[in-house]
């Protein structure tokens, strides 16, 4: 199947490692020009070099704190300078610290709002005019299984990811007339450093070995394993592609059957 992504310009944030890197890699492998960002300048530049070497695609890496409007504007400018436009957007961010919702102060809530929700609003606001001028585009917004069922000890993430899910559906309705599709992708437990950190935190909180914590998590997944980042990335690339040309406002779960909800 020809996904018709060759030559498209993609922006992927939080892409120095983990799921962001995996999505950027799959897009580059499909022939996209890819602009990635991350907080650490050395890490994002190394990631860009690795992606370009692996895929032979045009890749740039720009250091950006996605909580900063100025940093996002600079990343957008650098992308336009390098590639002349934007067709695809994956507004990815790392997760906030674990803990109960009532235990965090105002600063923690504000930081999480800027990290997970306002960053997406700002990235979309920058990308949409360019996509519209180019005849359309595709936005895939990563959220979390917590939009279906709150995750214990992830109060900040549970609340903000739910807001991002509402934003995704709202944008899908607003941007359809501009031929811009907006979908959200919901990872289950994908084997990344973030999941390793959460498993370690849960094992300490529950007073059990980390191996026991992982065993409990695996028991809740019908497939009996954590996902591979490439499995999530390939699903995201499908949503970006013309193969999904009549899909917008949708939620795609990549979770090995973990989420128990009917809808």
């Amino acid at each position: 199947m020809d996904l018709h992504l060759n030559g498209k310009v993609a922006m992927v944030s939080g892409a120095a490692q983990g799921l962001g890197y995996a999505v950027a890699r799959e897009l580059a492998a499909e022939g996209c020009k890819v602009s990635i960002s991350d907080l650490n300048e050395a890490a994002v530049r190394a990631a860009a070099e690795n992606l370009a070497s692996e895929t032979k695609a045009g890749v740039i890496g720009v250091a950006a704190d996605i909580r900063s409007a100025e940093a996002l504007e600079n990343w957008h400018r650098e992308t336009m300078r390098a590639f002349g436009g934007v067709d695809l957007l994956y507004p990815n961010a790392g997760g906030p610290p674990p803990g109960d919702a009532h235990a965090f102060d105002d600063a923690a809530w504000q930081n999480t709002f800027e990290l997970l929700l306002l960053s997406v609003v700002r990235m979309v606001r920058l990308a949409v005019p360019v996509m519209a001028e180019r005849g359309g585009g595709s936005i895939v917004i990563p959220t979390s299984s917590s939009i279906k069922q709150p995750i214990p000890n992830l109060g900040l993430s549970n609340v903000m990811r739910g807001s991002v899910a509402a934003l995704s559906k709202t944008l899908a309705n607003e941007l359809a007339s501009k031929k811009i599709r907006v979908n959200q992708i919901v990872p289950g437990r994908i084997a990344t450093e973030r999941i390793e950190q959460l498993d370690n935190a849960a094992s300490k909180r529950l007073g059990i070995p980390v191996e026991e914590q992982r065993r409990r998590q695996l028991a809740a997944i019908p497939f009996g394993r954590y996902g591979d980042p490439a499995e999530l990335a390939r699903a995201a690339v499908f949503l970006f592609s013309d193969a999904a040309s009549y899909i917008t406002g949708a939620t795609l779960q990549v979770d090995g059957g973990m989420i128990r909800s009917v809808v």
Side-chain angles (χ1 to χ4, degrees), residues 5-260:
L5 288 173
N6 189 54
K8 298 284 188 181
V9 179
M11 295 182 70
V12 182
S13 63
Q17 61 181 0
L19 296 181
Y21 182 90
V23 169
R25 187 184 185 284
E26 290 296 328
L27 287 169
E30 288 294 330
C32 291
K33 303 169 185 176
V34 182
S35 173
I36 65 172
S37 71
D38 213 303
L39 186 60
N40 184 285
E41 182 171 5
V44 74
R45 293 194 183 281
E49 290 174 5
N50 289 339
L51 288 170
S53 176
E54 283 184 54
T55 65
K56 311 307 178 187
V59 183
I60 65 168
V62 179
D65 182 345
I66 62 171
R67 295 167 297 185
S68 162
E70 292 77 13
L72 291 175
E73 289 165 5
N74 178 65
W75 178 34
H76 183 260
R77 271 195 307 273
E78 291 299 317
T79 303
M80 294 293 292
R81 182 178 294 116
F83 300 131
V86 179
D87 304 293
L88 314 172
L89 175 65
Y90 191 78
N92 180 55
D100 293 335
H102 71 273
F104 291 100
D105 61 16
D106 285 2
W109 282 103
Q110 183 66 34
N111 184 67
T112 304
F113 165 69
E114 293 177 358
L115 176 69
L116 295 185
L117 181 57
L118 189 55
S119 66
V120 179
V121 172
R122 287 168 168 165
M123 283 185 260
V124 168
R125 204 159 52 201
L126 289 166
V128 161
V130 182
M131 290 181 177
E133 287 179 4
R134 290 161 72 88
S138 181
I139 301 169
V140 177
I141 301 177
T143 53
S144 165
S145 62
S146 67
I147 70 166
K148 299 281 189 174
Q149 51 193 39
I151 300 172
N153 202 47
L154 286 184
L156 290 172
S157 182
N158 290 340
V159 173
M160 291 302 169
R161 300 288 191 189
S163 297
V164 176
L167 173 65
S168 178
K169 189 68 173 180
T170 300
L171 289 171
N173 294 335
E174 292 177 349
L175 298 177
S177 63
K178 300 180 186 294
K179 298 183 180 178
I180 298 172
R181 296 183 299 106
V182 185
N183 295 289
Q184 66 174 315
I185 192 163
V186 175
R189 297 192 75 80
I190 311 295
T192 62
E193 289 186 8
R194 167 70 171 172
I195 291 299
E196 184 177 350
Q197 291 167 359
L198 292 178
D199 281 346
N200 287 333
S203 72
K204 292 177 181 177
R205 177 171 56 90
L206 298 171
I208 60 175
V210 68
E211 293 78 12
E212 172 62 16
Q213 167 62 14
R214 291 193 183 112
R215 187 195 66 76
R216 293 181 182 185
Q217 293 296 332
L218 291 174
I221 303 172
F223 268 19
R225 65 175 177 85
Y226 287 179
D228 186 277
E231 293 176 303
L232 182 285
R234 287 191 290 267
V237 167
F238 162 73
L239 287 176
F240 276 126
S241 76
D242 284 357
S245 59
Y246 198 57
I247 300 176
T248 195
T251 299
L252 177 58
Q253 298 169 198
V254 185
D255 68 338
M258 180 187 74
I259 298 170
R260 295 295 193 263

